[in-house]
Amino acid sequence: MNSLTEENYLKALFNLSGGKGEATVNELSRQLGIKMPTVNSMMKKLAEKKLVLYQSYKPLKLTDKGRKEAAMVIRKHRLTEMFLVEKMGFGWDEVHQIAEQVEHIHAPVFFEKMDLLLGFPKVDPHGSPIPDKNGKMDWVNYRKLSDCNAGEAVILAAVTHSSDEFLKFLNSRDLGLGVKVKIKSVEIFDGSMIVSYGKRNAEALSKMVCENLLVH
Amino acid sequence: MNSLTEENYLKALFNLSGGKGEATVNELSRQLGIKMPTVNSMMKKLAEKKLVLYQSYKPLKLTDKGRKEAAMVIRKHRLTEMFLVEKMGFGWDEVHQIAEQVEHIHAPVFFEKMDLLLGFPKVDPHGSPIPDKNGKMDWVNYRKLSDCNAGEAVILAAVTHSSDEFLKFLNSRDLGLGVKVKIKSVEIFDGSMIVSYGKRNAEALSKMVCENLLVH
DNA sequence: TTATAAAGTTAGAGTATCCTAACATTAAAA
DNA sequence: TTTTAATGTTAGGATACTCTAACTTTATAA
Ligand SMILES: [Mn+2]
Ligand SMILES: [Mn+2]
Ligand SMILES: [Mn+2]
Ligand SMILES: [Mn+2]
Protein backbone atom coordinates (compact mmCIF):
# COMPACT_ATOMS: atom_id res chain seq x y z
CA MET A 1 0.00 0.00 0.00
CA ASN A 2 1.48 3.31 -1.08
CA SER A 3 1.43 6.33 1.18
CA LEU A 4 -0.21 9.58 0.17
CA THR A 5 3.25 10.96 -0.48
CA GLU A 6 4.28 8.04 -2.67
CA GLU A 7 1.01 8.31 -4.61
CA ASN A 8 1.77 11.94 -5.35
CA TYR A 9 5.22 11.11 -6.68
CA LEU A 10 3.84 8.34 -8.88
CA LYS A 11 1.09 10.55 -10.24
CA ALA A 12 3.46 13.42 -10.99
CA LEU A 13 5.89 11.12 -12.74
CA PHE A 14 3.08 9.58 -14.76
CA ASN A 15 1.77 13.00 -15.81
CA LEU A 16 5.23 14.17 -16.81
CA SER A 17 6.13 11.09 -18.75
CA GLY A 18 2.71 11.19 -20.40
CA GLY A 19 2.64 7.70 -21.84
CA LYS A 20 6.30 7.68 -22.87
CA GLY A 21 7.44 7.05 -19.34
CA GLU A 22 10.50 9.22 -18.86
CA ALA A 23 11.25 12.28 -16.78
CA THR A 24 14.30 13.74 -15.05
CA VAL A 25 14.75 14.27 -11.34
CA ASN A 26 14.82 17.98 -12.02
CA GLU A 27 11.48 17.99 -13.86
CA LEU A 28 9.83 15.92 -11.17
CA SER A 29 11.26 18.22 -8.54
CA ARG A 30 9.77 21.29 -10.23
CA GLN A 31 6.44 19.57 -10.87
CA LEU A 32 6.04 18.64 -7.22
CA GLY A 33 7.64 21.70 -5.67
CA ILE A 34 9.97 19.41 -3.75
CA LYS A 35 13.74 19.81 -3.75
CA MET A 36 15.89 17.51 -5.86
CA PRO A 37 17.65 15.65 -3.06
CA THR A 38 14.29 14.71 -1.57
CA VAL A 39 13.03 13.52 -4.92
CA ASN A 40 16.24 11.62 -5.46
CA SER A 41 15.89 9.58 -2.30
CA MET A 42 12.20 8.96 -2.86
CA MET A 43 13.04 7.61 -6.30
CA LYS A 44 15.45 5.15 -4.71
CA LYS A 45 12.72 4.11 -2.32
CA LEU A 46 10.20 3.63 -5.14
CA ALA A 47 12.85 1.70 -7.07
CA GLU A 48 13.11 -0.65 -4.06
CA LYS A 49 9.36 -1.15 -4.36
CA LYS A 50 9.74 -1.92 -8.08
CA LEU A 51 7.63 1.08 -9.04
CA VAL A 52 10.37 3.11 -10.71
CA LEU A 53 13.51 2.30 -12.68
CA TYR A 54 16.35 4.28 -11.17
CA GLN A 55 19.92 4.53 -12.39
CA SER A 56 22.26 7.31 -11.30
CA TYR A 57 22.30 10.25 -13.69
CA LYS A 58 19.80 8.56 -16.02
CA PRO A 59 16.21 9.66 -16.62
CA LEU A 60 13.56 8.14 -14.34
CA LYS A 61 11.04 5.68 -15.70
CA LEU A 62 7.95 4.09 -14.23
CA THR A 63 7.82 0.29 -14.27
CA ASP A 64 4.63 -1.36 -15.51
CA LYS A 65 3.65 -1.78 -11.88
CA GLY A 66 4.40 1.87 -11.15
CA ARG A 67 2.53 3.04 -14.23
CA LYS A 68 -0.51 1.04 -13.21
CA GLU A 69 -0.54 2.30 -9.64
CA ALA A 70 -0.12 5.87 -10.88
CA ALA A 71 -3.00 5.36 -13.29
CA MET A 72 -5.19 4.17 -10.43
CA VAL A 73 -4.55 7.39 -8.53
CA ILE A 74 -5.39 9.40 -11.61
CA ARG A 75 -8.48 7.26 -12.07
CA LYS A 76 -9.59 8.09 -8.53
CA HIS A 77 -8.90 11.77 -9.12
CA ARG A 78 -10.86 11.99 -12.33
CA LEU A 79 -13.78 9.87 -11.17
CA THR A 80 -13.99 12.13 -8.14
CA GLU A 81 -14.01 15.27 -10.27
CA MET A 82 -16.72 13.79 -12.46
CA PHE A 83 -18.78 12.76 -9.46
CA LEU A 84 -18.48 16.19 -7.87
CA VAL A 85 -19.64 17.87 -11.06
CA GLU A 86 -22.30 15.42 -12.26
CA LYS A 87 -23.75 14.18 -8.99
CA MET A 88 -23.09 16.95 -6.50
CA GLY A 89 -23.53 20.06 -8.59
CA PHE A 90 -20.06 21.59 -8.38
CA GLY A 91 -18.61 23.67 -11.20
CA TRP A 92 -15.67 22.31 -13.18
CA ASP A 93 -13.57 25.07 -11.67
CA GLU A 94 -14.27 23.96 -8.09
CA VAL A 95 -13.36 20.30 -8.09
CA HIS A 96 -9.63 19.91 -8.59
CA GLN A 97 -8.50 20.78 -5.08
CA ILE A 98 -11.10 18.51 -3.52
CA ALA A 99 -10.11 15.67 -5.85
CA GLU A 100 -6.47 16.17 -4.90
CA GLN A 101 -7.45 15.00 -1.43
CA VAL A 102 -10.10 12.41 -2.26
CA GLU A 103 -7.77 10.64 -4.72
CA HIS A 104 -5.78 9.30 -1.75
CA ILE A 105 -8.66 7.48 -0.12
CA HIS A 106 -8.06 3.75 0.05
CA ALA A 107 -11.49 2.25 -0.56
CA PRO A 108 -11.96 0.61 -3.96
CA VAL A 109 -15.73 0.20 -3.47
CA PHE A 110 -16.07 3.95 -3.02
CA PHE A 111 -14.68 4.66 -6.47
CA GLU A 112 -16.37 1.68 -8.09
CA LYS A 113 -19.66 3.08 -6.81
CA MET A 114 -18.87 6.50 -8.27
CA ASP A 115 -18.04 4.84 -11.58
CA LEU A 116 -21.31 2.91 -11.53
CA LEU A 117 -23.45 5.91 -10.56
CA LEU A 118 -21.80 7.95 -13.30
CA GLY A 119 -22.41 5.25 -15.92
CA PHE A 120 -18.71 4.45 -16.49
CA PRO A 121 -17.61 7.79 -17.95
CA LYS A 122 -14.63 7.88 -20.33
CA VAL A 123 -13.54 11.44 -19.59
CA ASP A 124 -13.51 13.84 -16.63
CA PRO A 125 -15.07 17.33 -16.53
CA HIS A 126 -11.96 18.79 -18.16
CA GLY A 127 -11.98 16.33 -21.04
CA SER A 128 -9.12 14.23 -19.65
CA PRO A 129 -9.52 10.48 -20.12
CA ILE A 130 -10.32 8.32 -17.07
CA PRO A 131 -8.08 5.24 -16.89
CA ASP A 132 -9.93 1.93 -16.63
CA LYS A 133 -9.41 -0.52 -13.76
CA ASN A 134 -6.38 -1.97 -15.53
CA GLY A 135 -4.78 1.46 -15.80
CA LYS A 136 -5.42 1.79 -19.52
CA MET A 137 -6.68 5.01 -21.03
CA ASP A 138 -6.93 6.15 -24.60
CA TRP A 139 -5.85 9.66 -25.30
CA VAL A 140 -7.95 10.73 -28.26
CA ASN A 141 -5.72 12.70 -30.57
CA TYR A 142 -7.16 16.17 -30.18
CA ARG A 143 -5.72 19.24 -31.87
CA LYS A 144 -4.81 22.42 -30.10
CA LEU A 145 -7.13 25.27 -30.99
CA SER A 146 -3.96 27.30 -31.63
CA ASP A 147 -3.04 24.87 -34.44
CA CYS A 148 -6.31 25.45 -36.29
CA ASN A 149 -6.84 27.86 -39.12
CA ALA A 150 -9.22 30.68 -39.96
CA GLY A 151 -12.45 29.41 -41.42
CA GLU A 152 -12.46 26.13 -39.46
CA ALA A 153 -15.34 25.20 -37.16
CA VAL A 154 -14.33 22.97 -34.23
CA ILE A 155 -15.76 21.65 -30.97
CA LEU A 156 -14.03 22.17 -27.61
CA ALA A 157 -13.09 18.76 -26.23
CA ALA A 158 -10.65 19.31 -23.38
CA VAL A 159 -8.49 21.79 -21.50
CA THR A 160 -4.81 21.03 -20.97
CA HIS A 161 -4.43 23.27 -17.94
CA SER A 162 -7.23 23.13 -15.40
CA SER A 163 -6.29 25.90 -13.01
CA ASP A 164 -9.18 27.66 -11.32
CA GLU A 165 -8.30 30.94 -12.98
CA PHE A 166 -8.30 29.55 -16.49
CA LEU A 167 -11.60 27.71 -15.97
CA LYS A 168 -13.21 30.79 -14.44
CA PHE A 169 -12.01 32.78 -17.41
CA LEU A 170 -13.65 30.27 -19.76
CA ASN A 171 -16.85 30.41 -17.67
CA SER A 172 -16.88 34.19 -17.97
CA ARG A 173 -16.86 33.85 -21.77
CA ASP A 174 -19.47 31.07 -21.82
CA LEU A 175 -16.82 28.67 -23.08
CA GLY A 176 -17.21 25.04 -22.02
CA LEU A 177 -16.59 21.57 -23.40
CA GLY A 178 -18.85 20.77 -26.34
CA VAL A 179 -19.09 24.37 -27.49
CA LYS A 180 -18.83 24.73 -31.26
CA VAL A 181 -16.38 27.47 -32.16
CA LYS A 182 -15.90 29.08 -35.56
CA ILE A 183 -12.50 30.66 -36.22
CA LYS A 184 -13.01 33.97 -37.95
CA SER A 185 -9.39 35.10 -38.11
CA VAL A 186 -5.91 34.52 -36.69
CA GLU A 187 -3.56 37.41 -35.94
CA ILE A 188 -0.11 36.72 -37.36
CA PHE A 189 2.02 38.69 -34.90
CA ASP A 190 0.59 37.43 -31.58
CA GLY A 191 -1.26 34.26 -32.53
CA SER A 192 -4.54 35.47 -31.04
CA MET A 193 -7.83 34.45 -32.63
CA ILE A 194 -11.16 36.06 -33.25
CA VAL A 195 -13.85 33.42 -32.88
CA SER A 196 -17.61 33.16 -32.80
CA TYR A 197 -19.80 30.71 -30.88
CA GLY A 198 -23.26 30.65 -29.34
CA LYS A 199 -24.46 34.21 -28.98
CA ARG A 200 -20.98 35.66 -29.15
CA ASN A 201 -19.97 36.96 -32.51
CA ALA A 202 -16.43 38.27 -32.25
CA GLU A 203 -14.58 37.09 -29.17
CA ALA A 204 -10.80 37.56 -28.99
CA LEU A 205 -8.79 34.69 -27.51
CA SER A 206 -5.08 35.08 -26.74
CA LYS A 207 -2.57 32.59 -28.05
CA MET A 208 -2.05 31.32 -24.51
CA VAL A 209 -5.74 30.55 -24.18
CA CYS A 210 -5.84 28.84 -27.59
CA GLU A 211 -2.87 26.66 -26.68
CA ASN A 212 -4.69 25.32 -23.67
CA LEU A 213 -7.84 24.37 -25.53
CA LEU A 214 -8.09 21.01 -27.30
CA VAL A 215 -10.64 20.56 -30.05
CA HIS A 216 -11.92 18.07 -32.57
CA MET B 1 -5.13 23.72 10.50
CA ASN B 2 -4.98 20.42 12.35
CA SER B 3 -3.23 17.39 10.91
CA LEU B 4 -5.03 14.13 10.30
CA THR B 5 -3.32 12.79 13.40
CA GLU B 6 -4.39 15.71 15.56
CA GLU B 7 -7.94 15.39 14.29
CA ASN B 8 -8.01 11.76 15.36
CA TYR B 9 -6.84 12.63 18.86
CA LEU B 10 -9.45 15.38 19.19
CA LYS B 11 -12.23 13.14 17.94
CA ALA B 12 -11.28 10.30 20.26
CA LEU B 13 -11.11 12.64 23.24
CA PHE B 14 -14.49 14.11 22.34
CA ASN B 15 -16.08 10.69 22.03
CA LEU B 16 -14.64 9.55 25.33
CA SER B 17 -15.58 12.62 27.25
CA GLY B 18 -19.05 12.45 25.68
CA GLY B 19 -20.25 15.93 26.49
CA LYS B 20 -18.69 16.02 29.97
CA GLY B 21 -15.27 16.71 28.58
CA GLU B 22 -12.91 14.59 30.66
CA ALA B 23 -10.80 11.53 29.95
CA THR B 24 -7.53 10.12 31.20
CA VAL B 25 -4.37 9.59 29.20
CA ASN B 26 -4.84 5.88 29.70
CA GLU B 27 -8.36 5.83 28.32
CA LEU B 28 -7.35 7.88 25.31
CA SER B 29 -4.39 5.60 24.77
CA ARG B 30 -6.61 2.52 24.71
CA GLN B 31 -9.22 4.20 22.53
CA LEU B 32 -6.67 5.13 19.88
CA GLY B 33 -4.45 2.08 20.17
CA ILE B 34 -1.49 4.39 20.71
CA LYS B 35 0.89 4.04 23.64
CA MET B 36 0.61 6.38 26.61
CA PRO B 37 3.89 8.25 26.16
CA THR B 38 2.89 9.14 22.63
CA VAL B 39 -0.52 10.32 23.79
CA ASN B 40 1.09 12.28 26.57
CA SER B 41 3.30 14.30 24.28
CA MET B 42 0.51 14.86 21.78
CA MET B 43 -1.62 16.25 24.62
CA LYS B 44 1.11 18.73 25.44
CA LYS B 45 1.20 19.74 21.81
CA LEU B 46 -2.58 20.18 21.65
CA ALA B 47 -2.39 22.14 24.91
CA GLU B 48 0.07 24.50 23.17
CA LYS B 49 -2.55 24.96 20.47
CA LYS B 50 -5.19 25.72 23.14
CA LEU B 51 -7.25 22.70 22.14
CA VAL B 52 -6.76 20.68 25.32
CA LEU B 53 -6.30 21.55 28.99
CA TYR B 54 -3.31 19.60 30.23
CA GLN B 55 -1.96 19.39 33.77
CA SER B 56 0.40 16.64 34.88
CA TYR B 57 -1.38 13.69 36.44
CA LYS B 58 -4.79 15.33 36.02
CA PRO B 59 -7.54 14.21 33.64
CA LEU B 60 -7.49 15.70 30.14
CA LYS B 61 -10.17 18.12 29.05
CA LEU B 62 -11.02 19.67 25.72
CA THR B 63 -11.17 23.46 25.61
CA ASP B 64 -14.18 25.07 23.93
CA LYS B 65 -12.00 25.49 20.86
CA GLY B 66 -10.93 21.85 21.01
CA ARG B 67 -14.47 20.65 21.52
CA LYS B 68 -15.65 22.61 18.53
CA GLU B 69 -12.89 21.35 16.23
CA ALA B 70 -13.54 17.79 17.38
CA ALA B 71 -17.24 18.25 16.69
CA MET B 72 -16.45 19.43 13.16
CA VAL B 73 -14.52 16.23 12.47
CA ILE B 74 -17.42 14.18 13.81
CA ARG B 75 -19.76 16.27 11.70
CA LYS B 76 -17.72 15.46 8.60
CA HIS B 77 -17.67 11.77 9.53
CA ARG B 78 -21.41 11.50 10.06
CA LEU B 79 -22.41 13.59 7.06
CA THR B 80 -20.17 11.34 4.98
CA GLU B 81 -21.79 8.19 6.36
CA MET B 82 -25.22 9.62 5.65
CA PHE B 83 -24.22 10.64 2.14
CA LEU B 84 -22.76 7.22 1.38
CA VAL B 85 -25.95 5.50 2.53
CA GLU B 86 -28.59 7.91 1.22
CA LYS B 87 -27.00 9.16 -1.99
CA MET B 88 -24.64 6.41 -3.03
CA GLY B 89 -26.48 3.30 -2.00
CA PHE B 90 -24.08 1.80 0.53
CA GLY B 91 -25.31 -0.26 3.48
CA TRP B 92 -24.98 1.13 7.00
CA ASP B 93 -22.44 -1.61 7.66
CA GLU B 94 -20.15 -0.48 4.84
CA VAL B 95 -19.60 3.18 5.51
CA HIS B 96 -17.63 3.62 8.70
CA GLN B 97 -14.18 2.79 7.34
CA ILE B 98 -14.69 5.03 4.32
CA ALA B 99 -15.89 7.88 6.55
CA GLU B 100 -12.82 7.44 8.75
CA GLN B 101 -10.80 8.62 5.78
CA VAL B 102 -13.16 11.16 4.25
CA GLU B 103 -13.59 12.95 7.60
CA HIS B 104 -10.05 14.33 7.22
CA ILE B 105 -10.65 16.12 3.96
CA HIS B 106 -10.19 19.87 4.29
CA ALA B 107 -12.87 21.32 2.02
CA PRO B 108 -15.81 22.93 3.82
CA VAL B 109 -17.85 23.28 0.61
CA PHE B 110 -17.67 19.54 0.07
CA PHE B 111 -19.42 18.82 3.35
CA GLU B 112 -21.81 21.75 3.06
CA LYS B 113 -22.89 20.34 -0.28
CA MET B 114 -23.47 16.92 1.27
CA ASP B 115 -25.50 18.56 4.02
CA LEU B 116 -27.58 20.43 1.45
CA LEU B 117 -28.15 17.42 -0.80
CA LEU B 118 -29.18 15.38 2.24
CA GLY B 119 -31.62 18.06 3.41
CA PHE B 120 -29.73 18.91 6.61
CA PRO B 121 -30.09 15.59 8.42
CA LYS B 122 -30.03 15.52 12.22
CA VAL B 123 -28.71 11.98 12.63
CA ASP B 124 -26.40 9.61 10.78
CA PRO B 125 -27.25 6.10 9.53
CA HIS B 126 -26.51 4.68 12.99
CA GLY B 127 -28.79 7.12 14.79
CA SER B 128 -25.92 9.26 16.08
CA PRO B 129 -26.58 13.01 16.05
CA ILE B 130 -24.78 15.17 13.49
CA PRO B 131 -23.22 18.28 15.07
CA ASP B 132 -24.28 21.57 13.45
CA LYS B 133 -21.76 24.04 11.98
CA ASN B 134 -21.20 25.51 15.46
CA GLY B 135 -20.36 22.11 16.87
CA LYS B 136 -23.61 21.73 18.77
CA MET B 137 -25.55 18.50 18.78
CA ASP B 138 -28.44 17.33 20.88
CA TRP B 139 -28.24 13.82 22.17
CA VAL B 140 -31.85 12.73 22.45
CA ASN B 141 -32.15 10.77 25.66
CA TYR B 142 -32.75 7.29 24.32
CA ARG B 143 -33.07 4.23 26.53
CA LYS B 144 -31.05 1.08 26.12
CA LEU B 145 -33.17 -1.82 24.96
CA SER B 146 -31.60 -3.78 27.80
CA ASP B 147 -33.22 -1.37 30.29
CA CYS B 148 -36.73 -2.01 28.95
CA ASN B 149 -39.20 -4.48 30.38
CA ALA B 150 -41.28 -7.35 29.13
CA GLY B 151 -44.50 -6.14 27.53
CA GLU B 152 -43.08 -2.85 26.27
CA ALA B 153 -43.14 -1.93 22.58
CA VAL B 154 -40.29 0.32 21.46
CA ILE B 155 -38.71 1.64 18.26
CA LEU B 156 -35.02 1.18 17.45
CA ALA B 157 -33.42 4.63 17.26
CA ALA B 158 -29.67 4.14 17.32
CA VAL B 159 -26.80 1.72 17.80
CA THR B 160 -24.06 2.53 20.30
CA HIS B 161 -21.46 0.33 18.67
CA SER B 162 -21.29 0.42 14.91
CA SER B 163 -18.79 -2.31 14.12
CA ASP B 164 -19.31 -4.10 10.84
CA GLU B 165 -19.97 -7.39 12.61
CA PHE B 166 -22.69 -6.00 14.82
CA LEU B 167 -24.42 -4.23 11.95
CA LYS B 168 -24.22 -7.31 9.76
CA PHE B 169 -25.72 -9.31 12.60
CA LEU B 170 -28.60 -6.84 12.80
CA ASN B 171 -29.06 -7.02 9.02
CA SER B 172 -29.23 -10.80 9.21
CA ARG B 173 -32.14 -10.48 11.65
CA ASP B 174 -33.90 -7.76 9.66
CA LEU B 175 -33.23 -5.30 12.46
CA GLY B 176 -32.71 -1.68 11.46
CA LEU B 177 -33.44 1.79 12.77
CA GLY B 178 -37.16 2.52 12.92
CA VAL B 179 -38.14 -1.10 13.50
CA LYS B 180 -40.84 -1.49 16.12
CA VAL B 181 -39.93 -4.19 18.61
CA LYS B 182 -42.21 -5.82 21.17
CA ILE B 183 -40.53 -7.35 24.20
CA LYS B 184 -42.11 -10.69 24.95
CA SER B 185 -39.90 -11.74 27.83
CA VAL B 186 -36.60 -11.10 29.58
CA GLU B 187 -34.47 -13.92 30.95
CA ILE B 188 -33.38 -13.20 34.51
CA PHE B 189 -30.09 -15.10 34.56
CA ASP B 190 -28.47 -13.83 31.34
CA GLY B 191 -30.45 -10.71 30.53
CA SER B 192 -31.35 -11.95 27.06
CA MET B 193 -34.70 -11.01 25.53
CA ILE B 194 -37.28 -12.71 23.38
CA VAL B 195 -38.75 -10.10 21.04
CA SER B 196 -41.12 -9.91 18.10
CA TYR B 197 -41.07 -7.49 15.18
CA GLY B 198 -42.08 -7.48 11.54
CA LYS B 199 -42.52 -11.05 10.43
CA ARG B 200 -40.40 -12.43 13.21
CA ASN B 201 -42.30 -13.74 16.16
CA ALA B 202 -39.84 -14.99 18.71
CA GLU B 203 -36.31 -13.75 18.14
CA ALA B 204 -33.75 -14.14 20.94
CA LEU B 205 -31.38 -11.22 21.52
CA SER B 206 -28.42 -11.57 23.88
CA LYS B 207 -27.87 -9.02 26.64
CA MET B 208 -24.83 -7.72 24.76
CA VAL B 209 -26.96 -7.01 21.70
CA CYS B 210 -29.67 -5.33 23.79
CA GLU B 211 -27.12 -3.10 25.50
CA ASN B 212 -25.97 -1.76 22.14
CA LEU B 213 -29.43 -0.87 20.88
CA LEU B 214 -31.02 2.46 21.82
CA VAL B 215 -34.79 2.85 21.61
CA HIS B 216 -37.58 5.30 22.19
C1' DT C 1 -0.29 3.17 57.04
C1' DT C 2 2.93 1.01 54.43
C1' DA C 3 3.26 -2.05 50.17
C1' DT C 4 1.78 -2.87 45.66
C1' DA C 5 -0.42 -1.91 41.39
C1' DA C 6 -1.91 1.28 38.01
C1' DA C 7 -1.33 5.40 35.64
C1' DG C 8 1.53 9.10 34.05
C1' DT C 9 5.94 11.04 32.65
C1' DT C 10 10.67 11.45 30.83
C1' DA C 11 14.50 9.88 28.03
C1' DG C 12 16.16 7.99 24.08
C1' DA C 13 15.47 6.06 19.68
C1' DG C 14 13.33 4.80 14.83
C1' DT C 15 10.74 5.79 10.40
C1' DA C 16 8.86 9.00 6.97
C1' DT C 17 9.30 13.17 4.76
C1' DC C 18 11.42 17.27 4.02
C1' DC C 19 15.44 20.69 3.88
C1' DT C 20 20.38 23.07 2.97
C1' DA C 21 25.20 22.74 1.89
C1' DA C 22 28.74 20.56 -0.38
C1' DC C 23 30.40 17.60 -3.88
C1' DA C 24 30.13 14.91 -8.49
C1' DT C 25 28.71 14.24 -13.08
C1' DT C 26 26.93 15.54 -17.39
C1' DA C 27 25.65 18.90 -20.85
C1' DA C 28 26.41 23.32 -22.99
C1' DA C 29 29.28 27.09 -24.33
C1' DA C 30 33.23 29.27 -25.44
C1' DT D 1 38.78 21.08 -25.89
C1' DT D 2 38.75 23.40 -21.85
C1' DT D 3 35.45 26.10 -19.04
C1' DT D 4 31.06 26.89 -17.21
C1' DA D 5 26.40 25.93 -16.15
C1' DA D 6 22.96 22.69 -15.17
C1' DT D 7 21.73 18.56 -13.18
C1' DG D 8 22.26 14.86 -9.92
C1' DT D 9 24.02 12.87 -5.57
C1' DT D 10 25.64 12.53 -0.79
C1' DA D 11 25.89 14.08 3.92
C1' DG D 12 23.86 15.92 7.74
C1' DG D 13 20.04 17.85 9.99
C1' DA D 14 14.86 19.17 11.16
C1' DT D 15 9.95 18.00 12.17
C1' DA D 16 5.98 14.89 12.95
C1' DC D 17 4.62 10.80 14.89
C1' DT D 18 5.51 6.60 16.87
C1' DC D 19 7.82 3.16 20.10
C1' DT D 20 10.31 0.83 24.49
C1' DA D 21 12.54 1.24 28.89
C1' DA D 22 13.02 3.44 33.05
C1' DC D 23 11.36 6.45 36.48
C1' DT D 24 7.62 9.13 39.23
C1' DT D 25 3.24 9.87 41.04
C1' DT D 26 -1.23 8.49 42.38
C1' DA D 27 -4.54 5.06 43.66
C1' DT D 28 -5.55 0.59 45.75
C1' DA D 29 -4.95 -3.05 48.91
C1' DA D 30 -2.94 -5.18 52.78
MN1 LIG E 1 -7.81 17.69 -11.44
MN1 LIG F 1 -9.55 16.93 -14.42
MN1 LIG G 1 -18.67 5.85 11.93
MN1 LIG H 1 -22.11 6.60 12.45
Side-chain angles (χ1 to χ4, degrees):
Chain A
M1 181 103 93
N2 302 315
S3 69
L4 180 152
T5 304
E6 291 168 333
E7 286 189 342
N8 279 335
Y9 278 90
L10 290 172
K11 186 175 61 138
L13 187 47
F14 186 102
N15 282 331
L16 276 176
S17 57
K20 311 224 170 70
E22 287 198 358
T24 66
V25 171
N26 194 334
E27 286 163 347
L28 191 48
S29 168
R30 273 185 283 113
Q31 172 86 8
L32 287 163
I34 289 173
K35 294 290 185 292
M36 280 201 291
T38 307
V39 172
N40 189 281
S41 48
M42 179 58 84
M43 287 306 102
K44 287 178 171 176
K45 186 183 168 194
L46 293 181
E48 283 293 314
K49 295 177 74 171
K50 309 290 186 193
L51 296 166
V52 167
L53 295 173
Y54 174 85
Q55 291 174 279
S56 288
Y57 299 103
K58 296 262 176 73
L60 303 164
K61 219 182 145 183
L62 284 171
T63 63
D64 287 345
K65 185 166 172 245
R67 196 184 338 275
K68 177 165 181 187
E69 297 191 13
M72 292 315 292
V73 178
I74 290 166
R75 174 175 161 80
K76 291 190 284 179
H77 181 105
R78 293 181 180 165
L79 279 174
T80 299
E81 288 186 339
M82 202 61 178
F83 188 86
L84 290 169
V85 168
E86 295 297 321
K87 300 298 174 186
M88 295 186 74
F90 285 97
W92 70 340
D93 56 322
E94 303 177 294
V95 297
H96 179 76
Q97 286 308 317
I98 301 176
E100 282 291 311
Q101 297 178 66
V102 175
E103 72 188 4
H104 300 294
I105 287 177
H106 292 289
V109 288
F110 183 45
F111 298 97
E112 277 165 29
K113 187 74 84 175
M114 282 187 194
D115 200 20
L116 177 70
L117 292 171
L118 288 166
F120 311 104
K122 289 281 185 296
V123 296
D124 83 358
H126 311 105
S128 304
I130 299 175
D132 68 20
K133 279 178 226 169
N134 302 312
K136 276 173 197 155
M137 64 168 151
D138 21 51
W139 249 121
V140 179
N141 214 3
Y142 297 128
R143 299 161 67 201
K144 285 185 187 175
L145 177 56
S146 54
D147 292 338
C148 300
N149 304 306
E152 285 191 79
V154 296
I155 293 173
L156 297 189
V159 294
T160 54
H161 231 269
S162 53
S163 69
D164 271 27
E165 303 75 42
F166 181 49
L167 297 177
K168 284 185 201 302
F169 165 83
L170 295 177
N171 282 346
S172 73
R173 307 296 164 99
D174 299 326
L175 282 169
L177 302 190
V179 170
K180 187 174 183 177
V181 171
K182 198 174 283 179
I183 304 170
K184 299 181 76 173
S185 65
V186 182
E187 296 295 337
I188 309 286
F189 51 94
D190 70 353
S192 70
M193 289 180 166
I194 307 293
V195 301
S196 69
Y197 56 92
K199 290 172 183 166
R200 298 188 182 235
N201 221 40
E203 202 67 49
L205 300 178
S206 72
K207 185 177 189 185
M208 182 156 188
V209 166
C210 297
E211 280 176 335
N212 284 307
L213 291 173
L214 299 183
V215 303
H216 70 243
Chain B
M1 183 104 94
N2 303 314
S3 69
L4 180 152
T5 305
E6 291 168 333
E7 286 189 341
N8 279 336
Y9 278 89
L10 290 172
K11 186 175 61 137
L13 187 46
F14 186 102
N15 282 331
L16 276 175
S17 56
K20 310 224 171 72
E22 287 196 359
T24 66
V25 171
N26 194 306
E27 287 163 347
L28 191 49
S29 169
R30 272 184 284 114
Q31 174 84 8
L32 287 163
I34 289 172
K35 294 289 186 292
M36 281 202 290
T38 308
V39 172
N40 189 281
S41 49
M42 180 58 83
M43 288 305 101
K44 288 178 172 176
K45 186 182 168 194
L46 293 181
E48 284 292 313
K49 294 178 77 171
K50 307 290 187 192
L51 296 166
V52 166
L53 295 173
Y54 174 85
Q55 292 173 280
S56 288
Y57 299 103
K58 296 263 177 72
L60 304 163
K61 220 183 142 181
L62 285 171
T63 62
D64 287 346
K65 185 167 172 244
R67 197 184 337 275
K68 178 167 179 184
E69 297 191 13
M72 293 313 293
V73 178
I74 290 167
R75 174 176 162 79
K76 290 191 284 179
H77 181 106
R78 292 182 181 165
L79 279 174
T80 299
E81 287 187 340
M82 202 62 177
F83 189 86
L84 290 170
V85 168
E86 295 296 321
K87 299 298 174 186
M88 295 187 73
F90 285 98
W92 69 338
D93 57 321
E94 303 178 294
V95 296
H96 179 77
Q97 287 307 316
I98 301 175
E100 282 291 311
Q101 297 178 68
V102 175
E103 71 187 4
H104 300 294
I105 288 176
H106 293 288
V109 288
F110 182 46
F111 298 97
E112 279 165 29
K113 187 74 85 176
M114 282 187 193
D115 200 20
L116 177 69
L117 293 172
L118 288 166
F120 311 104
K122 289 283 186 296
V123 296
D124 83 357
H126 311 105
S128 304
I130 299 175
D132 69 20
K133 278 178 223 166
N134 303 311
K136 276 172 198 155
M137 64 167 150
D138 21 51
W139 248 120
V140 179
N141 213 2
Y142 297 128
R143 299 160 67 200
K144 284 185 186 172
L145 178 56
S146 54
D147 291 339
C148 299
N149 303 305
E152 284 191 81
V154 295
I155 293 172
L156 297 189
V159 293
T160 54
H161 231 270
S162 53
S163 70
D164 270 27
E165 301 76 41
F166 182 49
L167 298 176
K168 283 185 201 304
F169 165 82
L170 295 178
N171 283 346
S172 74
R173 307 297 163 97
D174 299 328
L175 283 168
L177 302 191
V179 170
K180 187 174 183 178
V181 170
K182 197 173 284 181
I183 304 170
K184 299 180 77 173
S185 64
V186 181
E187 294 297 337
I188 308 286
F189 52 95
D190 71 352
S192 71
M193 289 179 165
I194 307 294
V195 301
S196 68
Y197 56 91
K199 290 173 183 165
R200 299 190 182 233
N201 220 40
E203 202 67 48
L205 299 179
S206 72
K207 185 177 188 185
M208 184 154 186
V209 167
C210 297
E211 279 175 335
N212 284 308
L213 291 173
L214 299 184
V215 303
H216 67 244

